[in-house]
Amino acid sequence: RKVRDPDGVECWMHKSTRRAATHVVTLVDVDLRAAPDAGALVRARLAAGVVAKVLDRRRDWRRISASGLDGWTHVNGLWGADR
């Protein structure tokens, strides 16, 4: 598989090493919400470029954790979220 990182650098990976994402990178500032819903309470905000651990998945939302903060954010602001 051909993979492109957030900076546009491309490389080839064997498909066996390509699993569900365990970490993502924020492409823009993202809100961490209390629930996977655009109207849910914002608990925190992560800046662009933060590497976060994926804790859960629900449709186009990911519950992520970084620097002791966690919450739900939409995949549109993430790189590596494996829609």
Side-chain angles (χ1 to χ4, degrees):
R1 305 276 191 249
K2 192 173 190 179
V3 178
R4 180 178 300 144
D5 75 11
D7 297 322
V9 177
E10 295 178 341
C11 69
W12 289 93
M13 295 176 64
H14 191 274
K15 67 181 180 180
S16 67
T17 62
R18 183 91 172 96
R19 301 180 208 147
T22 59
H23 289 77
V24 293
V25 177
T26 57
L27 297 173
V28 296
D29 293 354
V30 297
D31 291 332
L32 297 181
R33 298 185 176 275
D37 183 290
L41 176 70
V42 176
R43 298 166 68 181
R45 176 171 265 204
L46 294 180
V50 172
V51 176
K53 183 176 182 176
V54 177
L55 304 175
D56 198 359
R57 295 167 177 79
R58 293 206 189 141
R59 294 181 304 275
D60 289 339
W61 290 83
R62 298 295 179 270
R63 182 172 168 235
I64 61 174
S65 171
S67 301
L69 304 170
D70 76 85
W72 292 91
T73 193
H74 197 272
V75 296
N76 285 348
L78 304 175
W79 178 86
D82 282 336
R83 295 179 192 223

